[in-house]
Amino acid sequence: MSLLVVGLSHRSAPVSVLERASLAADQQTKLVQDSLAAEPATEATVLATCNRIELYADVDKFHAGVSELSTLLAQHTGVGLDELTPYLYVHYEDRAVHHLFSVACGLDSMVVGEGQILGQIKDALALGQELHTAGRLLNDLFQQALRVGKRAHSETGIDKAGQSLVTFGLEQLAGDTPVAGWAAGRRALVIGAGSMSSLAATTLARAGVAELVIANRTLDRARRLAESLTGLVAGAARAVPMERVAAELPHADVVVSCTGATGLVLTADMLTEALDRRAEHRAEGASGPGAAETVALLDLAMPRDIDAAAHRLAGLRLVDIESLAEAAADEPMAADVDQVRAIVSAEVAAFGAAQRAAHITPTVVALRTMAADVVAGEIARLDGRLPDLDERQRAEITQTVRRVVDKLLHAPTVRVKQLASTPGGAGYADALRELFDLDPQAVAAVSRADANGTRPDGGVGRPGAAAVQTDPKRGRA
């Protein structure tokens, strides 16, 4: 295993850099494809969220891999390499596994323990599978990360320490008042219909908003979301096209925005105009009895959807990624975090042992295949020397020879798998190949068969997990 992760997050970079380094879906696809095309990488995928971008790859060479992946991140984000480098972090092999498992458990999130990261890890795995850039290592790694994250949430109280960014953001807006009491009776405008916006809309609906308006570039998607929430909203839940956002702003008490736009969705001019119209409505008594004096804005997008100048406009209160990061830094960590860290450490050790053991499996299979060929050859020679053997006698002799070979190979193959699972155990595959003079191509053939879901003996392998070719010189994938 030569797993490498190069990335940056809210822990290593200021929001201004993260904002510039964010990637749209099509850019993520191109980054992964270019990463695989780079010589050091044999597998690749990207984990991109509102506060992190991490490139995962299986590389042949560490230093060349770091250089290539860093350069690709700079090229695709548009942030110069000299400017980006100070904010990048690099994790390799077991440390890379530990990092992803910690991320999956919410330990590295802006809000410790939040569970939405699991969906984003699932998306990263799906991207690699869709592009056929995730082989055995990344498939195993990300699937295990999802299991570890779910285990942490089910076996510990980490959920008490963490929440989604949506919940945390709304709590920051509500202050000392419970979100349900604060939101009740207000008019809410949610801009976007993706996973984060959908969560925000659902949270607000359950909190008792009087009206919920969902704006999205794809109107049908906004309509489906609005229809799904109609029964939860005290008043109406309706959908509008993005062109109607300016008209809806003066009537909204709460605005949550999380789109994939590369520019501002709500500019300072739009907000100023909305405040002026809102003041006119209040003067005319047309704003309704539940209208709030201050409009609450929650910007969960990266790059930002709402002009940062909103912080300076009277009548508005803006909570964005940057202010959420500051607030989260002051949040006390739950005692359960230590328990989650223990789970992560144990799972990293188990994953590493399993991967090291798996690397020797093709060699063991090739050895047993060679032994079976030797038995078959000797039985064929026996047939030539003793042609009068009946079928019962021949079967008994064949079975006896096979038992002898199996017993001779059992202890060394079991022991070599155990030894291979220990740190530094990859060399045992080399020793096995050298001692038994195994053909490197035969070992590689086992890996190819496993990649196709079948074994040379006609059995069925693990479908859906592409195997990485074994390097006969290094004894690893």
Side-chain angles (χ1 to χ4, degrees):
M1 177 179 66
S2 291
L3 176 67
L4 175 66
V5 55
V6 179
L8 68 161
S9 73
H10 65 283
R11 294 188 182 275
S12 69
V15 172
S16 58
V17 175
L18 283 173
E19 193 172 32
R20 293 168 54 203
S22 63
L23 295 173
D26 58 336
Q27 294 173 308
Q28 294 174 31
T29 297
K30 190 65 167 61
L31 172 60
V32 172
Q33 291 171 332
D34 287 352
S35 298
L36 194 64
E39 184 176 341
T42 56
E43 301 182 38
T45 194
V46 64
L47 174 60
T49 73
C50 61
N51 54 27
R52 79 176 61 246
I53 175 169
E54 298 176 343
L55 191 52
Y56 289 78
D58 185 10
V59 298
D60 293 330
K61 300 174 182 177
F62 172 74
H63 293 291
V66 172
S67 176
E68 188 66 33
L69 297 188
S70 300
T71 300
L72 287 170
L73 277 173
Q75 290 175 349
H76 285 270
T77 60
V79 181
L81 183 59
D82 290 344
E83 182 181 1
L84 189 64
T85 299
Y87 304 115
L88 292 177
Y89 46 78
V90 174
H91 299 297
Y92 189 55
E93 295 190 330
D94 284 351
R95 290 190 63 182
V97 177
H98 190 282
H99 175 73
L100 181 60
F101 287 5
S102 296
V103 169
C105 294
L107 293 180
D108 198 58
S109 295
M110 186 177 294
V111 181
V112 174
E114 63 94 9
Q116 192 172 13
I117 186 65
L118 286 174
Q120 295 159 335
I121 289 175
K122 187 176 181 180
D123 290 341
L125 173 60
L127 177 64
Q129 292 174 334
E130 180 183 348
L131 299 176
H132 304 290
T133 60
R136 173 187 288 165
L137 176 59
L138 291 187
N139 269 288
D140 288 351
L141 174 69
F142 276 77
Q143 288 169 3
Q144 186 64 21
L146 291 171
R147 287 191 285 269
V148 173
K150 291 175 182 176
R151 180 188 168 191
H153 284 281
S154 64
E155 295 183 12
T156 75
I158 192 68
D159 288 329
K160 299 174 185 176
Q163 352 161 38
S164 72
L165 278 177
V166 171
T167 304
F168 189 61
L170 291 175
E171 286 182 351
Q172 296 303 304
L173 288 172
D176 295 332
T177 306
V179 172
W182 170 80
R186 298 188 181 223
R187 294 176 174 177
L189 170 63
V190 175
I191 305 174
S195 59
M196 192 82 80
S197 299
S198 298
L199 180 58
T202 303
T203 303
L204 288 168
R206 289 174 176 167
V209 292
E211 182 182 39
L212 179 61
V213 179
I214 300 168
N216 195 51
R217 297 189 187 282
T218 305
L219 186 57
D220 284 345
R221 189 170 183 178
R223 282 174 176 160
R224 288 195 296 270
L225 179 55
E227 289 172 359
S228 69
L229 298 175
T230 298
L232 293 177
V233 182
R238 55 189 176 88
V240 299
M242 287 292 285
E243 293 76 17
R244 287 283 303 168
V245 166
E248 296 292 340
L249 269 178
H251 308 289
D253 304 310
V254 183
V255 180
V256 179
S257 187
C258 186
T259 72
T262 54
L264 293 175
V265 175
L266 300 181
T267 64
D269 289 341
M270 290 176 63
L271 293 169
T272 300
E273 182 180 350
L275 287 172
D276 290 342
R277 292 174 58 191
R278 185 179 179 86
E280 292 174 2
H281 294 161
R282 290 176 67 86
E284 296 169 358
S287 58
E293 294 184 5
T294 301
V295 179
L297 306 175
L298 178 57
D299 185 358
L300 299 173
M302 185 66 71
R304 71 183 74 230
D305 279 347
I306 303 176
D307 197 330
H311 284 295
R312 300 190 297 270
L313 296 178
L316 295 179
R317 185 180 175 205
L318 172 62
V319 169
D320 54 20
I321 292 294
E322 196 161 15
S323 54
L324 282 175
E326 295 173 359
D330 298 329
E331 285 291 302
M333 295 177 67
D336 298 271
V337 168
D338 288 339
Q339 187 178 350
V340 174
R341 286 175 176 160
I343 289 175
V344 169
S345 295
E347 291 285 359
V348 169
F351 182 83
Q355 289 296 307
R356 288 187 289 269
H359 288 150
I360 205 169
T361 298
T363 302
V364 172
V365 172
L367 173 60
R368 288 192 171 276
T369 301
M370 183 190 75
D373 291 341
V374 170
V375 171
E378 290 303 316
I379 294 300
R381 290 180 61 189
L382 183 66
D383 286 341
R385 292 178 179 181
L386 302 174
D388 296 333
L389 284 175
D390 60 34
E391 286 299 318
R392 186 186 64 80
Q393 293 170 325
R394 184 181 184 279
E396 185 62 32
I397 293 172
T398 300
Q399 185 64 24
T400 298
V401 174
R402 285 175 177 169
R403 282 199 297 266
V404 170
V405 171
D406 284 342
K407 288 181 178 180
L408 286 173
L409 290 181
H410 177 72
T413 53
V414 169
R415 183 59 178 151
V416 79
K417 286 183 178 181
Q418 294 172 340
L419 293 170
S421 67
T422 61
Y428 289 101
D430 291 326
L432 204 61
R433 284 194 293 270
E434 188 70 24
L435 286 171
F436 287 93
D437 194 24
L438 295 177
D439 182 2
Q441 296 304 318
V443 178
V446 176
S447 294
R448 287 194 295 271
D450 187 44
N452 294 325
T454 59
R455 297 192 301 267
D457 61 4
V460 179
R462 185 166 51 88
V468 182
Q469 294 292 316
T470 301
D471 183 341
K473 294 181 180 179
R474 301 176 61 194
R476 64 157 308 279

